[in-house]
Amino acid sequence: MRRSLAALLVLLAPAAARGQSIDTLALRAHTHFLAHDLLRGRDTGSEGERLAALYIISELRRMGIEGAGPGGEYLQRVPLRRARVDHAASRLVLRVADAEHAFRSGEHFTPATGGAAAFRDFAGNLLFAGTGEHAAAALDGTSLDGRVITVIGTLGAHGATLVQDWIRRGAAGILLLVPDSAQFQLLLRSRGDDRFFLDAPADDPIWQPRLPVLVAGPELARAVLAGAAVGPDVLAGAGPFTAVDLGRTVRASVHVEVDDVAAHNIAALIPGRDPARRHEVVAFTAHYDHLGVGVPDASGDSIYNGFSDNAAGVAMLLAIADALRQDPPARSVLFLFFTGEERGLLGSTYYASAPLVPLERTVAVINLDAGAPPAPPVSWRISGGTRSSLGEEAARIAREHGWSAQLEDARPNSDHWPFLRHGVPAAFIIPGRDWEGLTAAEEERLFRRWDRYHQAGDEWAPDFPWAGVRRYAELGLALGRRIADAPGRPRLTP
């Protein structure tokens, strides 16, 4: 790939002189501890997560970076409750004509995440609305009173408006169909038996809805759609589409045991050097929880260590903090380590509703949660990049280095999402699958060697190559520094 002289000069300049020095040995050390078996997968509210928090705070203290809470406190309590699903007592009955078919929780379906009012029994006639993308148009003008809305796949970002509308129109529940067995099994392993919800007001209709939501696996999905007047183009996501009454009903019984959970966000602040702008902050975010102990894999390993997701992100934030404390930018820099991301963006959702620094003084949020690339990426995706000039700046920095960057609409899949919902410019930097100096075949082999998303095998290894994670951190650092030093704030897209 040809680069301009200016871009080459940027690449050849010493990293420390650009304020972009990321210590790969520190990345190795941070992730070695955070992904260790002793932390038991850092599940939300667990002893392992508390040990991870102690480590993060100890590192921040070592660097001389104070907490962002009152009196320099690092911890922000997140009020959570845990609903443990009793799969043996939970079931779904599908009635077709005069026949009833029973399906088991934890095998054929599983409750999705939800707010306090979501874990309850419900029943109704099934109304098929296609995919989340086309559901709003499909249900336009259709009565939803007492109906169970049935959708292929997830609602994604569309859920932010769909769920509120369906509650208002009297829907009884939502059934999400996942026909792919591997995808459904991954979801079962990821969710486990516990569902968490905020014991506080939260404007989040996607992860904390008041409406019951169940996820149906392949066997139940086939039974729901059997003989229905739904073409393969609709199942593939084609639109527009008119909702179909499936002519069958469901009765769902969901039993949970609820208890309180002690969980915390971690927040630290590097004061800016400019007295006129240090009241404003640029925030870096990464979640430090993972999935805990779950279904054993083929080797018998049941600890989901979360090396790539997201010990690597936490390590990058600590390395960025270490670089910035030595040469602070004009604005202050806030470092947020969130709990409960894997359980439904819980820590970030709570923080956005009860921020330690007012959101109107938060000029940008940069989220790192896309795994540990095993080689230096030369392409990037910027989720949320279409919502503000923050994404344009991230793409500009990538191009300065001779890399490509694609701006994407945001999805509710990581901790940038709650900030975008509150009108704060936020970007989730995602490394692409194009890696420097490798053929397509070499990239594929490397990907197969190291990609263990939401699996017990996502572990620290002494031979993991760190150049890709270092580049990921340096791009985030460069973006944060540029925004923190810029005269103006990122602009929201109209």
Side-chain angles (χ1 to χ4, degrees), residues 441-479:
E442 290 169 335
E443 289 175 348
E444 183 62 24
R445 283 195 296 271
L446 206 56
F447 179 77
R448 290 182 179 275
R449 167 68 178 87
W450 293 109
D451 179 56
R452 298 291 184 269
Y453 174 72
H454 279 198
Q455 299 177 44
D458 183 20
E459 300 176 320
W460 187 92
D463 58 336
F464 180 81
W466 286 97
V469 181
R470 176 174 181 170
R471 178 168 291 182
Y472 188 2
E474 287 183 344
L475 177 56
L477 172 56
L479 176 60

Side-chain angles (χ1 to χ4, degrees), residues 36-401:
H36 198 280
D37 276 0
L38 288 175
L39 274 66
R40 307 283 289 173
R42 309 187 309 277
D43 197 4
T44 300
S46 68
E47 182 67 19
E49 189 189 53
R50 287 190 285 276
L51 287 173
L54 179 62
Y55 177 85
I56 294 166
I57 292 170
S58 296
E59 286 299 295
L60 292 167
R61 287 190 189 279
R62 178 186 64 79
M63 296 180 225
I65 303 173
E66 294 189 354
E73 177 59 61
Y74 292 97
L75 294 175
Q76 179 192 40
R77 180 179 173 273
V78 179
L80 293 183
R81 306 206 77 196
R82 172 174 51 206
R84 177 156 291 172
V85 181
D86 183 347
H87 291 296
S90 302
R91 68 172 190 163
L92 181 147
V93 176
L94 175 67
R95 184 176 181 85
V96 184
D98 294 327
E100 290 191 343
H101 310 274
F103 296 88
R104 293 182 293 276
S105 178
E107 180 179 352
H108 302 120
F109 73 93
T110 190
T113 55
F119 302 103
R120 54 182 168 84
D121 300 350
F122 67 95
N125 296 327
L126 290 174
L127 184 62
F128 183 69
T131 64
E133 181 181 2
H134 302 295
L139 296 171
D140 188 33
T142 302
S143 173
L144 305 186
D145 193 31
R147 311 296 285 273
V148 175
I149 312 302
T150 309
V151 174
I152 286 282
T154 66
L155 298 178
H158 306 284
T161 54
L162 291 176
V163 174
Q164 290 175 322
D165 179 57
W166 295 348
I167 291 172
R168 181 181 58 81
R169 294 165 64 185
I174 300 173
L175 189 63
L176 304 176
L177 307 182
V178 180
D180 180 80
S181 179
Q183 183 181 356
F184 183 65
Q185 290 302 318
L186 176 62
L187 187 146
L188 286 180
R189 293 195 302 271
S190 300
R191 297 284 169 86
D193 297 337
D194 295 339
R195 306 292 181 269
F196 293 78
F197 57 89
L198 286 167
D199 191 20
D203 177 23
D204 179 14
I206 294 180
W207 294 103
Q208 299 281 289
R210 303 193 308 274
L211 201 61
V213 182
L214 301 182
V215 183
E219 186 174 342
L220 177 53
R222 286 193 296 270
V224 164
L225 295 175
V230 177
D233 55 335
V234 173
L235 299 181
F241 172 69
T242 301
V244 173
D245 187 330
L246 295 176
R248 53 205 69 181
T249 63
V250 294
R251 298 195 314 273
S253 178
V254 176
H255 291 262
V256 297
E257 296 180 2
V258 179
D259 63 353
D260 294 322
V261 174
H264 297 85
N265 294 327
I266 303 167
L269 186 74
I270 297 175
R273 70 171 190 276
D274 182 356
R277 285 183 285 173
R278 67 168 56 126
H279 67 288
E280 296 181 330
V281 300
V282 172
F284 284 94
T285 63
H287 70 91
Y288 72 103
D289 66 302
H290 194 56
L291 300 174
V293 178
V295 179
D297 63 13
S299 70
D301 186 0
S302 61
I303 299 176
Y304 288 66
N305 302 81
F307 158 70
S308 182
D309 179 22
N310 191 33
V314 172
M316 286 189 282
L317 255 63
L318 289 172
I320 290 170
D322 205 14
L324 287 175
R325 72 180 175 88
Q326 301 172 56
D327 181 21
R331 292 183 175 87
S332 298
V333 184
L334 178 67
F335 294 90
L336 297 170
F337 304 85
F338 289 127
T339 184
E341 190 271 353
E342 299 287 5
R343 302 298 184 173
L345 314 187
L346 297 169
S348 54
T349 296
Y350 180 72
Y351 180 90
S353 68
L356 297 174
V357 177
L359 294 185
E360 59 267 23
R361 293 202 276 117
T362 305
V363 305
V365 172
I366 301 166
N367 183 48
L368 306 181
D369 178 29
V378 294
S379 67
W380 305 86
R381 295 158 45 211
I382 312 298
S383 178
T386 59
R387 299 278 291 270
S388 73
S389 60
L390 178 63
E392 298 168 4
E393 196 59 56
R396 186 175 297 111
I397 293 171
R399 288 193 298 269
E400 289 171 0
H401 288 76

Side-chain angles (χ1 to χ4, degrees), residues 408-426:
E408 297 182 346
D409 292 338
R411 294 190 296 132
N413 61 347
S414 194
D415 289 320
H416 62 309
W417 177 259
F419 293 95
L420 287 169
R421 279 186 52 78
H422 283 78
V424 178

